[in-house]
Short mmCIF file of all heavy atoms in Angstrom, two decimals:
data_model
loop_
_atom_site.label_atom_id
_atom_site.label_comp_id
_atom_site.label_asym_id
_atom_site.label_seq_id
_atom_site.Cartn_x
_atom_site.Cartn_y
_atom_site.Cartn_z
N THR A 177 -35.18 10.84 12.87
CA THR A 177 -34.90 10.66 14.31
C THR A 177 -36.02 9.86 14.99
O THR A 177 -35.84 9.41 16.12
CB THR A 177 -34.72 12.00 15.03
OG1 THR A 177 -35.93 12.77 14.96
CG2 THR A 177 -33.56 12.81 14.44
N ARG A 185 -32.30 5.92 13.11
CA ARG A 185 -32.41 6.92 14.17
C ARG A 185 -31.04 7.34 14.67
O ARG A 185 -30.80 8.52 14.95
CB ARG A 185 -33.20 6.35 15.36
CG ARG A 185 -34.66 6.13 15.11
CD ARG A 185 -35.45 6.04 16.42
NE ARG A 185 -34.83 5.21 17.45
CZ ARG A 185 -34.84 3.90 17.50
NH1 ARG A 185 -35.45 3.21 16.54
NH2 ARG A 185 -34.27 3.23 18.49
N THR A 189 -29.81 11.15 14.32
CA THR A 189 -29.54 11.92 15.53
C THR A 189 -28.11 12.42 15.56
O THR A 189 -27.85 13.59 15.89
CB THR A 189 -29.82 11.06 16.78
OG1 THR A 189 -31.15 10.55 16.73
CG2 THR A 189 -29.64 11.86 18.06
N GLU A 204 -37.16 19.55 20.18
CA GLU A 204 -38.14 18.60 20.71
C GLU A 204 -37.84 17.18 20.24
O GLU A 204 -37.96 16.23 21.01
CB GLU A 204 -39.56 19.01 20.28
CG GLU A 204 -40.08 20.25 20.99
CD GLU A 204 -40.00 20.15 22.51
OE1 GLU A 204 -40.38 19.09 23.05
OE2 GLU A 204 -39.54 21.12 23.15
N ALA A 205 -37.43 17.06 18.99
CA ALA A 205 -37.08 15.74 18.47
C ALA A 205 -35.87 15.18 19.20
O ALA A 205 -35.83 13.98 19.55
CB ALA A 205 -36.80 15.83 16.97
N LEU A 206 -34.88 16.01 19.44
CA LEU A 206 -33.69 15.56 20.16
C LEU A 206 -34.02 15.21 21.61
O LEU A 206 -33.52 14.23 22.15
CB LEU A 206 -32.61 16.65 20.11
CG LEU A 206 -32.01 16.91 18.72
CD1 LEU A 206 -31.11 18.14 18.76
CD2 LEU A 206 -31.23 15.70 18.23
N PHE A 207 -34.87 16.01 22.23
CA PHE A 207 -35.25 15.71 23.62
C PHE A 207 -35.98 14.39 23.69
O PHE A 207 -35.78 13.60 24.63
CB PHE A 207 -36.13 16.83 24.18
CG PHE A 207 -36.49 16.65 25.62
CD1 PHE A 207 -35.53 16.82 26.62
CD2 PHE A 207 -37.76 16.26 26.00
CE1 PHE A 207 -35.85 16.63 27.96
CE2 PHE A 207 -38.08 16.05 27.33
CZ PHE A 207 -37.13 16.25 28.31
N ALA A 208 -36.82 14.10 22.69
CA ALA A 208 -37.51 12.81 22.65
C ALA A 208 -36.52 11.66 22.59
O ALA A 208 -36.70 10.61 23.21
CB ALA A 208 -38.46 12.76 21.47
N ARG A 209 -35.42 11.86 21.88
CA ARG A 209 -34.42 10.81 21.72
C ARG A 209 -33.58 10.62 22.98
O ARG A 209 -32.91 9.60 23.11
CB ARG A 209 -33.50 11.10 20.52
CG ARG A 209 -34.21 11.07 19.19
CD ARG A 209 -34.43 9.67 18.65
NE ARG A 209 -35.29 8.78 19.44
CZ ARG A 209 -36.60 8.85 19.50
NH1 ARG A 209 -37.26 9.78 18.82
NH2 ARG A 209 -37.29 8.01 20.23
N THR A 210 -33.59 11.55 23.90
CA THR A 210 -32.85 11.34 25.16
C THR A 210 -33.49 10.23 25.99
O THR A 210 -32.90 9.78 26.96
CB THR A 210 -32.79 12.64 26.00
OG1 THR A 210 -34.11 13.04 26.40
CG2 THR A 210 -32.13 13.77 25.23
N GLY A 211 -34.68 9.81 25.58
CA GLY A 211 -35.33 8.67 26.23
C GLY A 211 -35.34 7.43 25.36
O GLY A 211 -36.09 6.49 25.65
N ASP A 212 -34.52 7.42 24.32
CA ASP A 212 -34.49 6.29 23.39
C ASP A 212 -34.00 5.02 24.09
O ASP A 212 -33.24 5.08 25.06
CB ASP A 212 -33.54 6.62 22.23
CG ASP A 212 -33.79 5.74 21.01
OD1 ASP A 212 -33.30 4.58 21.01
OD2 ASP A 212 -34.46 6.19 20.09
N ASP A 213 -34.46 3.88 23.61
CA ASP A 213 -34.03 2.59 24.17
C ASP A 213 -32.55 2.31 23.89
O ASP A 213 -31.91 1.55 24.62
CB ASP A 213 -34.87 1.45 23.60
CG ASP A 213 -36.31 1.50 24.07
OD1 ASP A 213 -36.55 2.10 25.13
OD2 ASP A 213 -37.18 0.94 23.37
N ASP A 214 -32.01 2.92 22.84
CA ASP A 214 -30.62 2.69 22.45
C ASP A 214 -29.71 3.68 23.18
O ASP A 214 -29.87 4.90 23.06
CB ASP A 214 -30.48 2.86 20.93
CG ASP A 214 -29.11 2.47 20.43
OD1 ASP A 214 -28.15 3.21 20.74
OD2 ASP A 214 -29.00 1.45 19.73
N ILE A 215 -28.72 3.18 23.91
CA ILE A 215 -27.86 4.03 24.73
C ILE A 215 -27.05 5.00 23.88
O ILE A 215 -26.80 6.15 24.28
CB ILE A 215 -26.93 3.15 25.61
CG1 ILE A 215 -26.14 4.05 26.58
CG2 ILE A 215 -25.99 2.30 24.77
CD1 ILE A 215 -25.39 3.26 27.64
N ILE A 217 -27.91 6.31 20.94
CA ILE A 217 -28.81 7.35 20.45
C ILE A 217 -29.09 8.37 21.56
O ILE A 217 -29.10 9.58 21.32
CB ILE A 217 -30.10 6.75 19.89
CG1 ILE A 217 -29.80 5.84 18.70
CG2 ILE A 217 -31.09 7.85 19.50
CD1 ILE A 217 -30.99 5.07 18.17
N ARG A 218 -29.30 7.86 22.77
CA ARG A 218 -29.53 8.78 23.91
C ARG A 218 -28.35 9.74 24.08
O ARG A 218 -28.53 10.94 24.26
CB ARG A 218 -29.75 8.00 25.19
CG ARG A 218 -31.02 7.20 25.23
CD ARG A 218 -31.44 6.86 26.67
NE ARG A 218 -30.43 6.11 27.40
CZ ARG A 218 -30.35 4.77 27.40
NH1 ARG A 218 -31.23 4.05 26.71
NH2 ARG A 218 -29.43 4.15 28.11
N ALA A 219 -27.15 9.19 24.03
CA ALA A 219 -25.96 10.00 24.23
C ALA A 219 -25.80 11.05 23.13
O ALA A 219 -25.47 12.21 23.39
CB ALA A 219 -24.72 9.12 24.30
N GLU A 220 -26.04 10.64 21.88
CA GLU A 220 -25.93 11.59 20.77
C GLU A 220 -26.97 12.69 20.88
O GLU A 220 -26.69 13.87 20.58
CB GLU A 220 -26.08 10.84 19.44
CG GLU A 220 -24.88 9.96 19.12
CD GLU A 220 -25.22 8.84 18.15
OE1 GLU A 220 -26.39 8.75 17.72
OE2 GLU A 220 -24.31 8.04 17.85
N ALA A 221 -28.18 12.32 21.31
CA ALA A 221 -29.22 13.33 21.47
C ALA A 221 -28.86 14.32 22.55
O ALA A 221 -29.08 15.54 22.41
CB ALA A 221 -30.55 12.65 21.81
N ILE A 222 -28.27 13.83 23.65
CA ILE A 222 -27.85 14.73 24.73
C ILE A 222 -26.78 15.69 24.25
O ILE A 222 -26.80 16.90 24.55
CB ILE A 222 -27.36 13.90 25.94
CG1 ILE A 222 -28.53 13.18 26.60
CG2 ILE A 222 -26.64 14.79 26.95
CD1 ILE A 222 -28.13 12.17 27.64
N LEU A 225 -28.36 18.25 21.94
CA LEU A 225 -29.19 19.17 22.71
C LEU A 225 -28.31 20.16 23.50
O LEU A 225 -28.62 21.35 23.61
CB LEU A 225 -30.07 18.36 23.66
CG LEU A 225 -31.42 18.98 24.08
CD1 LEU A 225 -32.29 19.24 22.87
CD2 LEU A 225 -32.14 18.02 25.04
N VAL A 236 -31.18 15.76 31.96
CA VAL A 236 -31.07 14.47 31.28
C VAL A 236 -29.62 13.98 31.29
O VAL A 236 -29.36 12.77 31.35
CB VAL A 236 -31.60 14.53 29.83
CG1 VAL A 236 -33.10 14.79 29.83
CG2 VAL A 236 -30.87 15.58 28.98
N ALA A 239 -29.02 12.44 34.69
CA ALA A 239 -29.65 11.12 34.74
C ALA A 239 -28.80 10.09 34.00
O ALA A 239 -28.63 8.97 34.46
CB ALA A 239 -31.05 11.18 34.13
N ALA A 240 -28.23 10.49 32.87
CA ALA A 240 -27.38 9.57 32.11
C ALA A 240 -26.12 9.24 32.88
O ALA A 240 -25.68 8.08 32.91
CB ALA A 240 -27.02 10.21 30.77
N ASP A 243 -26.71 6.75 35.48
CA ASP A 243 -26.87 5.40 34.94
C ASP A 243 -25.55 4.81 34.46
O ASP A 243 -25.51 3.70 33.94
CB ASP A 243 -27.85 5.42 33.77
CG ASP A 243 -29.29 5.59 34.24
OD1 ASP A 243 -29.55 5.32 35.43
OD2 ASP A 243 -30.15 5.99 33.42
#
Side-chain angles (χ1 to χ4, degrees):
T177 62
R185 291 199 316 281
T189 304
E204 288 307 315
L206 292 172
F207 184 72
R209 295 280 63 76
T210 64
D212 199 280
D213 292 337
D214 187 291
I215 186 171
I217 297 174
R218 292 201 301 271
E220 289 157 1
I222 291 171
L225 208 58
V236 294
D243 286 340

